[in-house]
Amino acid sequence: MEALRLWNARAIDPSSGTVIDRATISVAGGRITEVVEATGDTPAGAIDVAGRTVLPGFIDAHVHLVSDVSRSPGFGPAPQLKGEDPRPRELGWFVLAKSCSALLESGITTVRDVGAYDDEAIVMRRAVELGLAPGPRILTCGRIISATSPGGRIFGSMYAEADGPWEVRRAVREQLRRGADFVKLMSTGARSVEREDPEPAQLTREEIAAIVDEAHRIGLRVAAHAEGLAGTRLAVEEGVDTIEHGLALHRAPELLAAMAEAGQVLVPTLSTFHDLAERFSHEWVPRLVDQAKRQLEEAYTTLVAAREAGVTLAMGFDSGPPGANIWELVRMSEGGLGSMAALAAATSGAAAAAGLPDLGRLRPGAVADLVVVDGDPIADVRVLLRPSRIRLVIHDGLVVAGRDLDGPAIGRVAAVDDEPLEPPTGPPSPCCGPSGAS
Ligand SMILES: [Zn+2]
């Protein structure tokens, strides 16, 4: 595989907080081989990044790779008009491909899909692997293992409903058979389902224990959707690897301490609470909006409590449109982490959530996923929201997106635009599927 050298880079490794103001970063065989002070003249063949910032590629630990664009107004096609030629379901594949391009162009080099309809995420992963479409590295859970529940009627093929220890074990095996990289379970109901109360546990302790045992025995990690405290407690105590949402954890400091001790990662998904409480409040059941407002406050309280307890945090946007994921990093930073810890959540923290410790680090041996940024994200993380500031995206040691450092475009880029991305707002434009992922 091709070798690559970045010269005169401000190299930031958020996992260690290390900053080298004038560094050279060498890459060979898809891995970083060297990060050292740059001295002397620009070596032949090196890319002079002219003092720009180089970070590990960003990782989103909580996405739903779905062709449904209801969370992404303006991203998919315009809403269908009456009398218009019917839109085939298969258009959804192009929406997925566009999503993957948008992720890559925004500097997201890995995503962890925590539930998609049918086999959409699994097929998209294969398309990217085969070079049929540009996209980030994709890990997916296949379908979400849930108790038989009202949410099953809303989420349909995103869920695998199962009850009792043997059924849930079979559901784990079915996800592996389907092509899952890890397993996700619903320890509580979902905030987005009117007939579910997200406060009590939904699966029993016995069921969660069976899922974790089955998954871990065959080498799969386990993510737990966890809103209320009772289910969150079962998930933490039974040894899941990541807690998704986890907003109630501030009420139980002993659980945060246990997570820090065991290395269980929290993915706070602040943006998803903004969605239901604010952005899309006009289209949700009022009770759920009121509930989400309370949850939004709790999620921020838990963010700070988890940081203080030493829990590893991971960025997970759980919102749309694809490519606006860095809003979650900004919210984590401004919600109390500060820029360096938020950058760590979006790199090494999310890598820990994915169980891929070779990702998300700027050091020799790490996978060469890199982002070259104009500006200083330590001083102001919001520079990362400006599409024109993402100058190069390197994935597995190859330049895959971004602008040439002198100006002209290379690779696949959206229109040049120095305006920051607005916070995701506006009415949805449904395209091709059901909505409201958990
Ligand atoms: Zn989600």
Side-chain angles (χ1 to χ4, degrees), residues 126-134:
R126 196 72 182 122
V128 171
E129 283 169 358
L130 293 172
L132 299 175

Side-chain angles (χ1 to χ4, degrees), residues 62 64 318 438:
H62 191 122
H64 297 275
D318 197 13
S438 57

Side-chain angles (χ1 to χ4, degrees), residues 62-64 71 114-115 144 184 191 225 244-245 269 272 318-319 437-438:
H62 191 122
V63 303
H64 297 275
R71 299 169 123 194
V114 288
I144 304 167
K184 182 181 177 195
R191 67 200 170 282
H225 171 106
E244 312 296 313
H245 318 301
T269 67
T272 200
D318 197 13
S319 182
S438 57

